[in-house]
Amino acid sequence: MKSEETETVEEYIVKGGTPLKGEVRISGAKNAALGILAGAIMADEPVTVENVPDVRDTHVILNAIEGVGAGVKEVDKNTYIINGKSIHSIDIQYEQVKKIRASYYLIGALLGKYHEAKVALPGGCDIGSRPIDMHIKGFKALGAEVDIMAGGVVWARAEKLTGANIYFDMVSVGATINLMLAACMAEGDTILENAAKEPHIVDVANFLNAMGASIKGAGTDVIRIKGVEKLHSATYSIIPDQIEAGTFMVGAAITGGDVTVCDVIPKHLESISAKLMEMGCTIEEGDDTVRVIGAKRLTSTNIKTLPYPGFPTDMQPQIAVALALAKGTSMVTESVFDNRFRYIDELARMGGHGKVEGNTVYIDGVEKFSGAQVAAPDLRAGAALVLAALAAEGFSEIEDIIYIQRGYEDFDGKLRSLGASIQIVSDDREAQKFRLKTG
Ligand code: UD1
């Protein structure tokens, strides 16, 4: 596993203007992996997890579970064997998990297995207020006492956990997964109502069922969980990442290219495919591939983010950046988070026009972007700015790529394989070398 302590500050340098062309293999779903790697500690036997994306967030979770004593064996960069038998502590320190919000899954997993968890409050991308009140309400409904202690540590504990009916006031991916984790070894039945339906919810449920849990209805808004006494050894392969695939699809659209995303589940990409078609792209679906052929000039459209099967909030910045090059005016409404347009100011440096009013950005498409120096405000917005740079004339530098590396495996390598001129550089000399080589 990787540590971040000794790393230098890196940025991407991009020379735009080359259409992306070819095939790209999509990695395992980061958001499924985080729930699954947390859940893997719930058995006292080895659990093999395959297709784990090699990204910073999964390394943070792996380090955190190793830190409390779980066995973590790296078979290869995408396969791990986890064994929860040797866990000696239920205390996850802030230093170990401050960088990712999904550390909250360790509360559900530890509470579910040991009836106690002390986990530092989540970090992650700064995209508006992201409370965890529904997670806490759910744990309490199962019989846990939950306190937020000094230093922002969540302390949850219970004599025993008992199944309950839990209604979520809002559709929440995190709360749904966390309650599946906490309830799968509780006594009796739990019903989760108004549950999230994202593909990664189904994946975590399938994974827990492979370990002996009894979870039904994942993928619908009512999930029924029959508590089991213990979970056992399993081997499981994580589904492909919907958002990584969507990002490359938009990459094809924005550069006027022709890209086939491989090893994907086309159904999970339907909302993205539909919007790209509205924007003038051609989409060809195979059994496990989606090919996107860009248009001569994209056309404007309106988009509203919604929980699955709606258009994913995690694709909002990428598609908005493509709309900023489309003919006409587009309206993008963000209805899941309340501060997810911070990249619009960065895009303006490249010549993009967007006006944010409340939860909507009004975008006036321009004919071209020009390369500029920008900073990634968060994971998905960072990826969106890279796409903008690939479409821009001239050179761009994207700083703070550590955000992008949280969720994209070998982003620059995969883009290069599609013909992009992009490189990671850590100082001006390297940037200059890239300019000379490609200019
Ligand atoms: C997960 C994803 C994230 C994605 C988001 C929405 C992971 C690790 N992250 O985040 O990439 O953008 O789903 O698809 O899987 N809310 C509350 N109280 C709660 C929980 C959530 O009010 O207790 C609100 C949030 O502030 C937000 C909305 O519910 O407005 C949806 O959030 P949620 O689905 O929980 O997002 P995350 O699980 O944090």
Side-chain angles (χ1 to χ4, degrees), residues 30-32 34 57 101-102 104-105 127-136 170-175 177 196 198 200 243 306-308 312-314 335-338 340 379-380 406:
K30 172 192 77 106
N31 288 347
L34 297 173
D57 275 14
R101 181 171 160 78
Y104 52 44
Y105 292 144
I127 48 172
S129 76
R130 301 176 78 173
I132 60 161
D133 54 306
M134 291 193 292
H135 304 228
I136 292 176
M170 278 174 80
V171 177
S172 162
V173 169
I177 291 181
E198 268 66 5
H200 36 288
I243 306 301
L306 285 169
Y308 190 81
T313 172
D314 283 355
S335 69
V336 179
F337 291 109
D338 58 14
R340 212 164 186 180
L379 163 57
R380 305 302 171 185
R406 285 187 38 209

mmCIF file of all heavy atoms in Angstrom, residues 30-32 34 57 101-102 104-105 127-136 170-175 177 196 198 200 243 306-308 312-314 335-338 340 379-380 406, ligand 1:
data_model
loop_
_atom_site.group_PDB
_atom_site.id
_atom_site.type_symbol
_atom_site.label_atom_id
_atom_site.label_comp_id
_atom_site.label_asym_id
_atom_site.label_seq_id
_atom_site.Cartn_x
_atom_site.Cartn_y
_atom_site.Cartn_z
ATOM 1 N N LYS A 30 -14.733 2.676 -7.299
ATOM 2 C CA LYS A 30 -14.165 3.174 -6.039
ATOM 3 C C LYS A 30 -15.205 3.164 -4.926
ATOM 4 O O LYS A 30 -14.940 2.718 -3.810
ATOM 5 C CB LYS A 30 -13.633 4.596 -6.234
ATOM 6 C CG LYS A 30 -13.210 5.244 -4.935
ATOM 7 C CD LYS A 30 -12.955 6.730 -5.065
ATOM 8 C CE LYS A 30 -14.193 7.553 -5.132
ATOM 9 N NZ LYS A 30 -14.561 8.329 -3.962
ATOM 10 N N ASN A 31 -16.386 3.676 -5.203
ATOM 11 C CA ASN A 31 -17.366 3.816 -4.123
ATOM 12 C C ASN A 31 -17.906 2.475 -3.644
ATOM 13 O O ASN A 31 -18.339 2.355 -2.498
ATOM 14 C CB ASN A 31 -18.505 4.752 -4.541
ATOM 15 C CG ASN A 31 -18.024 6.199 -4.585
ATOM 16 O OD1 ASN A 31 -16.938 6.512 -4.091
ATOM 17 N ND2 ASN A 31 -18.819 7.066 -5.178
ATOM 18 N N ALA A 32 -17.894 1.467 -4.511
ATOM 19 C CA ALA A 32 -18.242 0.115 -4.062
ATOM 20 C C ALA A 32 -17.079 -0.441 -3.234
ATOM 21 O O ALA A 32 -17.281 -1.034 -2.171
ATOM 22 C CB ALA A 32 -18.518 -0.784 -5.251
ATOM 23 N N LEU A 34 -14.938 0.961 -1.344
ATOM 24 C CA LEU A 34 -14.805 1.491 0.023
ATOM 25 C C LEU A 34 -15.751 0.763 0.972
ATOM 26 O O LEU A 34 -15.373 0.397 2.090
ATOM 27 C CB LEU A 34 -15.052 3.001 0.023
ATOM 28 C CG LEU A 34 -14.022 3.791 -0.809
ATOM 29 C CD1 LEU A 34 -14.405 5.260 -0.921
ATOM 30 C CD2 LEU A 34 -12.618 3.651 -0.210
ATOM 31 N N ASP A 57 -7.966 6.569 -2.316
ATOM 32 C CA ASP A 57 -9.007 6.307 -1.322
ATOM 33 C C ASP A 57 -9.014 4.852 -0.849
ATOM 34 O O ASP A 57 -9.219 4.583 0.331
ATOM 35 C CB ASP A 57 -10.398 6.662 -1.880
ATOM 36 C CG ASP A 57 -10.721 8.148 -1.706
ATOM 37 O OD1 ASP A 57 -9.788 8.934 -1.409
ATOM 38 O OD2 ASP A 57 -11.895 8.527 -1.881
ATOM 39 N N ARG A 101 -14.086 10.586 3.247
ATOM 40 C CA ARG A 101 -15.365 10.608 3.918
ATOM 41 C C ARG A 101 -15.881 9.191 4.185
ATOM 42 O O ARG A 101 -16.502 8.930 5.196
ATOM 43 C CB ARG A 101 -16.326 11.363 3.006
ATOM 44 C CG ARG A 101 -17.689 11.499 3.548
ATOM 45 C CD ARG A 101 -18.497 12.436 2.690
ATOM 46 N NE ARG A 101 -19.911 12.241 2.907
ATOM 47 C CZ ARG A 101 -20.575 12.703 3.953
ATOM 48 N NH1 ARG A 101 -19.955 13.395 4.874
ATOM 49 N NH2 ARG A 101 -21.858 12.477 4.095
ATOM 50 N N ALA A 102 -15.582 8.287 3.267
ATOM 51 C CA ALA A 102 -16.133 6.944 3.391
ATOM 52 C C ALA A 102 -15.542 6.163 4.560
ATOM 53 O O ALA A 102 -15.907 5.015 4.791
ATOM 54 C CB ALA A 102 -15.937 6.175 2.093
ATOM 55 N N TYR A 104 -16.518 6.510 7.198
ATOM 56 C CA TYR A 104 -17.684 6.225 8.036
ATOM 57 C C TYR A 104 -18.171 4.787 7.877
ATOM 58 O O TYR A 104 -18.863 4.272 8.723
ATOM 59 C CB TYR A 104 -18.812 7.238 7.839
ATOM 60 C CG TYR A 104 -19.284 7.507 6.422
ATOM 61 C CD1 TYR A 104 -19.502 6.494 5.493
ATOM 62 C CD2 TYR A 104 -19.551 8.820 6.030
ATOM 63 C CE1 TYR A 104 -19.945 6.765 4.220
ATOM 64 C CE2 TYR A 104 -20.014 9.108 4.755
ATOM 65 C CZ TYR A 104 -20.207 8.063 3.844
ATOM 66 O OH TYR A 104 -20.648 8.335 2.586
ATOM 67 N N TYR A 105 -17.796 4.105 6.794
ATOM 68 C CA TYR A 105 -18.213 2.697 6.663
ATOM 69 C C TYR A 105 -17.569 1.819 7.727
ATOM 70 O O TYR A 105 -18.052 0.728 8.023
ATOM 71 C CB TYR A 105 -17.868 2.151 5.272
ATOM 72 C CG TYR A 105 -18.679 2.781 4.162
ATOM 73 C CD1 TYR A 105 -18.120 3.040 2.918
ATOM 74 C CD2 TYR A 105 -20.018 3.120 4.361
ATOM 75 C CE1 TYR A 105 -18.864 3.621 1.896
ATOM 76 C CE2 TYR A 105 -20.770 3.704 3.353
ATOM 77 C CZ TYR A 105 -20.181 3.951 2.131
ATOM 78 O OH TYR A 105 -20.915 4.523 1.127
ATOM 79 N N ILE A 127 -17.670 19.386 -1.006
ATOM 80 C CA ILE A 127 -18.715 19.730 -1.986
ATOM 81 C C ILE A 127 -20.013 19.996 -1.249
ATOM 82 O O ILE A 127 -21.029 19.368 -1.467
ATOM 83 C CB ILE A 127 -18.899 18.644 -3.074
ATOM 84 C CG1 ILE A 127 -19.011 17.252 -2.467
ATOM 85 C CG2 ILE A 127 -17.773 18.684 -4.081
ATOM 86 C CD1 ILE A 127 -19.377 16.173 -3.494
ATOM 87 N N GLY A 128 -19.965 20.947 -0.339
ATOM 88 C CA GLY A 128 -21.178 21.320 0.367
ATOM 89 C C GLY A 128 -21.296 20.583 1.678
ATOM 90 O O GLY A 128 -20.450 19.773 2.030
ATOM 91 N N SER A 129 -22.347 20.868 2.397
ATOM 92 C CA SER A 129 -22.491 20.255 3.724
ATOM 93 C C SER A 129 -22.850 18.788 3.547
ATOM 94 O O SER A 129 -23.708 18.434 2.750
ATOM 95 C CB SER A 129 -23.571 20.980 4.523
ATOM 96 O OG SER A 129 -24.831 20.600 4.052
ATOM 97 N N ARG A 130 -22.137 17.949 4.223
ATOM 98 C CA ARG A 130 -22.372 16.514 4.069
ATOM 99 C C ARG A 130 -22.504 15.886 5.442
ATOM 100 O O ARG A 130 -21.596 15.221 5.928
ATOM 101 C CB ARG A 130 -21.229 15.874 3.267
ATOM 102 C CG ARG A 130 -21.091 16.484 1.897
ATOM 103 C CD ARG A 130 -19.922 15.927 1.152
ATOM 104 N NE ARG A 130 -20.189 14.615 0.587
ATOM 105 C CZ ARG A 130 -19.340 13.992 -0.217
ATOM 106 N NH1 ARG A 130 -18.197 14.547 -0.529
ATOM 107 N NH2 ARG A 130 -19.638 12.804 -0.703
ATOM 108 N N PRO A 131 -23.648 16.100 6.086
ATOM 109 C CA PRO A 131 -23.825 15.557 7.425
ATOM 110 C C PRO A 131 -23.959 14.031 7.411
ATOM 111 O O PRO A 131 -24.161 13.441 6.351
ATOM 112 C CB PRO A 131 -25.143 16.196 7.891
ATOM 113 C CG PRO A 131 -25.875 16.570 6.652
ATOM 114 C CD PRO A 131 -24.857 16.767 5.577
ATOM 115 N N ILE A 132 -23.847 13.415 8.587
ATOM 116 C CA ILE A 132 -24.082 11.962 8.656
ATOM 117 C C ILE A 132 -25.194 11.665 9.665
ATOM 118 O O ILE A 132 -25.218 10.599 10.276
ATOM 119 C CB ILE A 132 -22.798 11.155 8.961
ATOM 120 C CG1 ILE A 132 -22.175 11.561 10.295
ATOM 121 C CG2 ILE A 132 -21.788 11.255 7.843
ATOM 122 C CD1 ILE A 132 -21.219 10.486 10.826
ATOM 123 N N ASP A 133 -26.116 12.619 9.795
ATOM 124 C CA ASP A 133 -27.200 12.439 10.761
ATOM 125 C C ASP A 133 -28.039 11.183 10.487
ATOM 126 O O ASP A 133 -28.461 10.502 11.430
ATOM 127 C CB ASP A 133 -28.097 13.684 10.788
ATOM 128 C CG ASP A 133 -28.617 14.043 9.406
ATOM 129 O OD1 ASP A 133 -27.786 14.199 8.489
ATOM 130 O OD2 ASP A 133 -29.843 14.158 9.229
ATOM 131 N N MET A 134 -28.259 10.862 9.218
ATOM 132 C CA MET A 134 -29.101 9.684 8.934
ATOM 133 C C MET A 134 -28.380 8.377 9.275
ATOM 134 O O MET A 134 -29.023 7.403 9.659
ATOM 135 C CB MET A 134 -29.542 9.697 7.482
ATOM 136 C CG MET A 134 -30.531 10.821 7.196
ATOM 137 S SD MET A 134 -31.340 10.654 5.617
ATOM 138 C CE MET A 134 -29.992 10.944 4.489
ATOM 139 N N HIS A 135 -27.069 8.376 9.133
ATOM 140 C CA HIS A 135 -26.303 7.182 9.540
ATOM 141 C C HIS A 135 -26.517 6.978 11.046
ATOM 142 O O HIS A 135 -26.807 5.872 11.513
ATOM 143 C CB HIS A 135 -24.797 7.355 9.318
ATOM 144 C CG HIS A 135 -24.379 7.709 7.924
ATOM 145 N ND1 HIS A 135 -23.369 7.046 7.277
ATOM 146 C CD2 HIS A 135 -24.802 8.653 7.059
ATOM 147 C CE1 HIS A 135 -23.194 7.581 6.069
ATOM 148 N NE2 HIS A 135 -24.053 8.558 5.930
ATOM 149 N N ILE A 136 -26.359 8.079 11.780
ATOM 150 C CA ILE A 136 -26.415 7.998 13.246
ATOM 151 C C ILE A 136 -27.826 7.601 13.714
ATOM 152 O O ILE A 136 -27.987 6.740 14.579
ATOM 153 C CB ILE A 136 -25.958 9.345 13.863
ATOM 154 C CG1 ILE A 136 -24.457 9.518 13.574
ATOM 155 C CG2 ILE A 136 -26.249 9.420 15.362
ATOM 156 C CD1 ILE A 136 -23.855 10.823 14.015
ATOM 157 N N MET A 170 -33.823 11.326 3.384
ATOM 158 C CA MET A 170 -33.278 11.640 2.057
ATOM 159 C C MET A 170 -32.611 10.390 1.520
ATOM 160 O O MET A 170 -32.170 9.551 2.294
ATOM 161 C CB MET A 170 -32.168 12.699 2.179
ATOM 162 C CG MET A 170 -32.645 14.111 2.281
ATOM 163 S SD MET A 170 -31.218 15.148 2.604
ATOM 164 C CE MET A 170 -30.537 15.301 0.964
ATOM 165 N N VAL A 171 -32.517 10.303 0.205
ATOM 166 C CA VAL A 171 -31.820 9.154 -0.383
ATOM 167 C C VAL A 171 -30.320 9.358 -0.177
ATOM 168 O O VAL A 171 -29.758 10.340 -0.650
ATOM 169 C CB VAL A 171 -32.142 9.043 -1.886
ATOM 170 C CG1 VAL A 171 -31.362 7.900 -2.505
ATOM 171 C CG2 VAL A 171 -33.631 8.840 -2.089
ATOM 172 N N SER A 172 -29.699 8.468 0.553
ATOM 173 C CA SER A 172 -28.271 8.599 0.841
ATOM 174 C C SER A 172 -27.529 7.293 0.564
ATOM 175 O O SER A 172 -27.854 6.245 1.132
ATOM 176 C CB SER A 172 -28.074 9.000 2.308
ATOM 177 O OG SER A 172 -26.745 8.738 2.710
ATOM 178 N N VAL A 173 -26.545 7.395 -0.313
ATOM 179 C CA VAL A 173 -25.695 6.241 -0.628
ATOM 180 C C VAL A 173 -24.986 5.772 0.643
ATOM 181 O O VAL A 173 -25.015 4.598 1.008
ATOM 182 C CB VAL A 173 -24.645 6.644 -1.691
ATOM 183 C CG1 VAL A 173 -23.587 5.574 -1.848
ATOM 184 C CG2 VAL A 173 -25.328 6.944 -3.018
ATOM 185 N N GLY A 174 -24.355 6.727 1.328
ATOM 186 C CA GLY A 174 -23.546 6.392 2.491
ATOM 187 C C GLY A 174 -24.381 5.770 3.596
ATOM 188 O O GLY A 174 -24.000 4.737 4.175
ATOM 189 N N ALA A 175 -25.529 6.372 3.901
ATOM 190 C CA ALA A 175 -26.350 5.856 4.995
ATOM 191 C C ALA A 175 -26.881 4.465 4.641
ATOM 192 O O ALA A 175 -26.936 3.565 5.490
ATOM 193 C CB ALA A 175 -27.495 6.820 5.297
ATOM 194 N N ILE A 177 -25.517 2.120 2.664
ATOM 195 C CA ILE A 177 -24.445 1.109 2.793
ATOM 196 C C ILE A 177 -24.086 0.904 4.263
ATOM 197 O O ILE A 177 -23.938 -0.233 4.737
ATOM 198 C CB ILE A 177 -23.206 1.522 1.966
ATOM 199 C CG1 ILE A 177 -23.529 1.437 0.473
ATOM 200 C CG2 ILE A 177 -21.994 0.642 2.314
ATOM 201 C CD1 ILE A 177 -22.391 1.788 -0.462
ATOM 202 N N ALA A 196 -31.003 4.167 -1.117
ATOM 203 C CA ALA A 196 -30.374 4.537 -2.393
ATOM 204 C C ALA A 196 -30.312 3.296 -3.285
ATOM 205 O O ALA A 196 -30.288 2.167 -2.794
ATOM 206 C CB ALA A 196 -28.976 5.093 -2.137
ATOM 207 N N GLU A 198 -28.088 3.051 -6.136
ATOM 208 C CA GLU A 198 -26.888 3.106 -6.983
ATOM 209 C C GLU A 198 -26.320 1.699 -7.217
ATOM 210 O O GLU A 198 -26.428 0.823 -6.343
ATOM 211 C CB GLU A 198 -25.809 3.957 -6.298
ATOM 212 C CG GLU A 198 -25.793 5.428 -6.645
ATOM 213 C CD GLU A 198 -27.021 6.198 -6.166
ATOM 214 O OE1 GLU A 198 -27.877 5.628 -5.472
ATOM 215 O OE2 GLU A 198 -27.136 7.387 -6.511
ATOM 216 N N HIS A 200 -23.441 0.673 -6.833
ATOM 217 C CA HIS A 200 -22.520 0.214 -5.778
ATOM 218 C C HIS A 200 -23.261 -0.248 -4.520
ATOM 219 O O HIS A 200 -22.706 -0.990 -3.727
ATOM 220 C CB HIS A 200 -21.416 1.221 -5.455
ATOM 221 C CG HIS A 200 -21.789 2.653 -5.503
ATOM 222 N ND1 HIS A 200 -22.041 3.312 -6.664
ATOM 223 C CD2 HIS A 200 -21.933 3.557 -4.521
ATOM 224 C CE1 HIS A 200 -22.323 4.570 -6.399
ATOM 225 N NE2 HIS A 200 -22.270 4.743 -5.106
ATOM 226 N N ILE A 243 -18.480 6.021 -12.834
ATOM 227 C CA ILE A 243 -18.066 7.415 -12.999
ATOM 228 C C ILE A 243 -16.761 7.507 -13.802
ATOM 229 O O ILE A 243 -16.590 8.401 -14.625
ATOM 230 C CB ILE A 243 -17.917 8.108 -11.621
ATOM 231 C CG1 ILE A 243 -19.215 7.942 -10.813
ATOM 232 C CG2 ILE A 243 -17.542 9.578 -11.788
ATOM 233 C CD1 ILE A 243 -20.470 8.519 -11.462
ATOM 234 N N LEU A 306 -29.557 13.646 -10.048
ATOM 235 C CA LEU A 306 -30.531 12.963 -9.190
ATOM 236 C C LEU A 306 -29.913 11.665 -8.708
ATOM 237 O O LEU A 306 -28.989 11.144 -9.338
ATOM 238 C CB LEU A 306 -31.782 12.607 -10.013
ATOM 239 C CG LEU A 306 -32.746 13.747 -10.375
ATOM 240 C CD1 LEU A 306 -33.752 13.256 -11.408
ATOM 241 C CD2 LEU A 306 -33.467 14.259 -9.128
ATOM 242 N N PRO A 307 -30.440 11.097 -7.616
ATOM 243 C CA PRO A 307 -29.962 9.763 -7.240
ATOM 244 C C PRO A 307 -30.229 8.772 -8.380
ATOM 245 O O PRO A 307 -31.097 9.020 -9.217
ATOM 246 C CB PRO A 307 -30.822 9.413 -6.015
ATOM 247 C CG PRO A 307 -31.292 10.720 -5.473
ATOM 248 C CD PRO A 307 -31.430 11.631 -6.656
ATOM 249 N N TYR A 308 -29.496 7.676 -8.415
ATOM 250 C CA TYR A 308 -29.649 6.646 -9.450
ATOM 251 C C TYR A 308 -31.099 6.194 -9.523
ATOM 252 O O TYR A 308 -31.718 6.030 -8.482
ATOM 253 C CB TYR A 308 -28.752 5.445 -9.097
ATOM 254 C CG TYR A 308 -28.633 4.430 -10.194
ATOM 255 C CD1 TYR A 308 -27.754 4.619 -11.242
ATOM 256 C CD2 TYR A 308 -29.420 3.274 -10.184
ATOM 257 C CE1 TYR A 308 -27.639 3.680 -12.261
ATOM 258 C CE2 TYR A 308 -29.314 2.337 -11.201
ATOM 259 C CZ TYR A 308 -28.422 2.547 -12.237
ATOM 260 O OH TYR A 308 -28.300 1.623 -13.243
ATOM 261 N N PRO A 312 -25.908 11.107 -12.522
ATOM 262 C CA PRO A 312 -25.115 11.141 -11.275
ATOM 263 C C PRO A 312 -24.464 12.500 -10.983
ATOM 264 O O PRO A 312 -23.871 13.104 -11.892
ATOM 265 C CB PRO A 312 -24.023 10.086 -11.501
ATOM 266 C CG PRO A 312 -24.102 9.663 -12.914
ATOM 267 C CD PRO A 312 -25.344 10.195 -13.532
ATOM 268 N N THR A 313 -24.578 12.922 -9.753
ATOM 269 C CA THR A 313 -23.910 14.164 -9.335
ATOM 270 C C THR A 313 -22.401 14.072 -9.575
ATOM 271 O O THR A 313 -21.751 15.076 -9.873
ATOM 272 C CB THR A 313 -24.208 14.502 -7.859
ATOM 273 O OG1 THR A 313 -23.394 15.594 -7.463
ATOM 274 C CG2 THR A 313 -23.950 13.335 -6.923
ATOM 275 N N ASP A 314 -21.844 12.863 -9.478
ATOM 276 C CA ASP A 314 -20.398 12.703 -9.678
ATOM 277 C C ASP A 314 -19.979 12.874 -11.143
ATOM 278 O O ASP A 314 -18.789 12.844 -11.454
ATOM 279 C CB ASP A 314 -19.931 11.335 -9.160
ATOM 280 C CG ASP A 314 -19.840 11.324 -7.639
ATOM 281 O OD1 ASP A 314 -20.041 12.375 -7.019
ATOM 282 O OD2 ASP A 314 -19.569 10.240 -7.068
ATOM 283 N N SER A 335 -28.868 18.788 -7.719
ATOM 284 C CA SER A 335 -29.885 18.658 -6.669
ATOM 285 C C SER A 335 -29.462 17.712 -5.541
ATOM 286 O O SER A 335 -30.245 17.424 -4.655
ATOM 287 C CB SER A 335 -31.225 18.236 -7.271
ATOM 288 O OG SER A 335 -31.147 16.917 -7.729
ATOM 289 N N VAL A 336 -28.230 17.214 -5.594
ATOM 290 C CA VAL A 336 -27.790 16.312 -4.515
ATOM 291 C C VAL A 336 -26.925 17.064 -3.493
ATOM 292 O O VAL A 336 -27.147 16.961 -2.286
ATOM 293 C CB VAL A 336 -27.028 15.092 -5.082
ATOM 294 C CG1 VAL A 336 -26.550 14.182 -3.958
ATOM 295 C CG2 VAL A 336 -27.910 14.316 -6.056
ATOM 296 N N PHE A 337 -25.964 17.838 -3.967
ATOM 297 C CA PHE A 337 -25.091 18.592 -3.057
ATOM 298 C C PHE A 337 -25.295 20.091 -3.262
ATOM 299 O O PHE A 337 -25.806 20.529 -4.289
ATOM 300 C CB PHE A 337 -23.621 18.209 -3.269
ATOM 301 C CG PHE A 337 -23.331 16.809 -2.805
ATOM 302 C CD1 PHE A 337 -23.064 15.799 -3.716
ATOM 303 C CD2 PHE A 337 -23.345 16.486 -1.454
ATOM 304 C CE1 PHE A 337 -22.814 14.503 -3.294
ATOM 305 C CE2 PHE A 337 -23.095 15.194 -1.025
ATOM 306 C CZ PHE A 337 -22.829 14.198 -1.946
ATOM 307 N N ASP A 338 -24.858 20.883 -2.277
ATOM 308 C CA ASP A 338 -25.165 22.301 -2.367
ATOM 309 C C ASP A 338 -23.967 23.192 -2.695
ATOM 310 O O ASP A 338 -24.058 24.392 -2.639
ATOM 311 C CB ASP A 338 -25.870 22.780 -1.089
ATOM 312 C CG ASP A 338 -25.027 22.535 0.145
ATOM 313 O OD1 ASP A 338 -23.824 22.252 -0.013
ATOM 314 O OD2 ASP A 338 -25.568 22.611 1.266
ATOM 315 N N ARG A 340 -21.350 22.521 -5.515
ATOM 316 C CA ARG A 340 -20.590 21.669 -6.425
ATOM 317 C C ARG A 340 -20.240 22.378 -7.731
ATOM 318 O O ARG A 340 -20.066 21.742 -8.761
ATOM 319 C CB ARG A 340 -21.364 20.383 -6.682
ATOM 320 C CG ARG A 340 -20.427 19.239 -6.916
ATOM 321 C CD ARG A 340 -20.936 17.886 -6.833
ATOM 322 N NE ARG A 340 -19.749 17.013 -6.956
ATOM 323 C CZ ARG A 340 -19.764 15.719 -6.940
ATOM 324 N NH1 ARG A 340 -20.880 15.079 -6.793
ATOM 325 N NH2 ARG A 340 -18.646 15.029 -7.060
ATOM 326 N N LEU A 379 -12.298 16.004 -6.418
ATOM 327 C CA LEU A 379 -12.029 14.844 -7.285
ATOM 328 C C LEU A 379 -12.665 14.972 -8.671
ATOM 329 O O LEU A 379 -11.983 14.942 -9.695
ATOM 330 C CB LEU A 379 -12.518 13.584 -6.557
ATOM 331 C CG LEU A 379 -12.737 12.288 -7.313
ATOM 332 C CD1 LEU A 379 -11.479 11.837 -8.028
ATOM 333 C CD2 LEU A 379 -13.183 11.192 -6.331
ATOM 334 N N ARG A 380 -13.988 15.063 -8.736
ATOM 335 C CA ARG A 380 -14.651 15.023 -10.054
ATOM 336 C C ARG A 380 -14.442 16.325 -10.818
ATOM 337 O O ARG A 380 -14.315 16.322 -12.039
ATOM 338 C CB ARG A 380 -16.141 14.719 -9.894
ATOM 339 C CG ARG A 380 -16.428 13.441 -9.124
ATOM 340 C CD ARG A 380 -15.801 12.202 -9.762
ATOM 341 N NE ARG A 380 -15.931 11.049 -8.868
ATOM 342 C CZ ARG A 380 -15.390 9.862 -9.119
ATOM 343 N NH1 ARG A 380 -14.656 9.654 -10.193
ATOM 344 N NH2 ARG A 380 -15.550 8.861 -8.266
ATOM 345 N N ARG A 406 -7.339 10.419 -5.965
ATOM 346 C CA ARG A 406 -8.177 9.730 -4.972
ATOM 347 C C ARG A 406 -9.108 8.734 -5.646
ATOM 348 O O ARG A 406 -9.505 7.744 -5.030
ATOM 349 C CB ARG A 406 -9.054 10.747 -4.218
ATOM 350 C CG ARG A 406 -8.341 11.583 -3.199
ATOM 351 C CD ARG A 406 -9.341 12.403 -2.421
ATOM 352 N NE ARG A 406 -10.540 11.610 -2.182
ATOM 353 C CZ ARG A 406 -11.761 12.090 -2.036
ATOM 354 N NH1 ARG A 406 -11.972 13.366 -2.074
ATOM 355 N NH2 ARG A 406 -12.781 11.276 -1.830
HETATM 356 C C1 UD1 B 1 -21.705 9.077 -2.043
HETATM 357 C C2 UD1 B 1 -20.501 8.980 -2.938
HETATM 358 C C3 UD1 B 1 -20.264 10.283 -3.662
HETATM 359 C C4 UD1 B 1 -21.526 10.698 -4.405
HETATM 360 C C5 UD1 B 1 -22.735 10.667 -3.498
HETATM 361 C C6 UD1 B 1 -24.050 10.885 -4.232
HETATM 362 C C7 UD1 B 1 -19.113 7.413 -1.755
HETATM 363 C C8 UD1 B 1 -17.882 7.193 -0.970
HETATM 364 N N1 UD1 B 1 -19.352 8.659 -2.108
HETATM 365 O O1 UD1 B 1 -21.438 10.101 -1.102
HETATM 366 O O2 UD1 B 1 -19.201 10.099 -4.567
HETATM 367 O O3 UD1 B 1 -21.371 12.023 -4.877
HETATM 368 O O4 UD1 B 1 -22.832 9.398 -2.836
HETATM 369 O O5 UD1 B 1 -24.201 9.950 -5.239
HETATM 370 O O6 UD1 B 1 -19.825 6.502 -2.124
HETATM 371 N N2 UD1 B 1 -27.152 13.540 3.666
HETATM 372 C C9 UD1 B 1 -27.702 14.005 4.832
HETATM 373 N N3 UD1 B 1 -27.525 13.258 5.978
HETATM 374 C C10 UD1 B 1 -26.858 12.077 5.978
HETATM 375 C C11 UD1 B 1 -26.296 11.609 4.780
HETATM 376 C C12 UD1 B 1 -26.460 12.357 3.625
HETATM 377 O O7 UD1 B 1 -28.325 15.055 4.875
HETATM 378 O O8 UD1 B 1 -26.750 11.458 7.043
HETATM 379 C C13 UD1 B 1 -27.316 14.314 2.418
HETATM 380 C C14 UD1 B 1 -25.998 14.815 1.851
HETATM 381 O O9 UD1 B 1 -25.613 16.015 2.442
HETATM 382 C C15 UD1 B 1 -26.352 14.983 0.379
HETATM 383 C C16 UD1 B 1 -27.344 13.847 0.145
HETATM 384 O O10 UD1 B 1 -27.827 13.468 1.423
HETATM 385 O O11 UD1 B 1 -26.994 16.218 0.161
HETATM 386 C C17 UD1 B 1 -26.777 12.639 -0.564
HETATM 387 O O12 UD1 B 1 -25.589 12.264 0.081
HETATM 388 P P1 UD1 B 1 -25.064 10.760 0.115
HETATM 389 O O13 UD1 B 1 -25.788 9.961 -0.919
HETATM 390 O O14 UD1 B 1 -25.094 10.298 1.521
HETATM 391 O O15 UD1 B 1 -23.592 10.960 -0.351
HETATM 392 P P2 UD1 B 1 -22.314 10.242 0.194
HETATM 393 O O16 UD1 B 1 -22.656 8.874 0.675
HETATM 394 O O17 UD1 B 1 -21.583 11.150 1.087
#
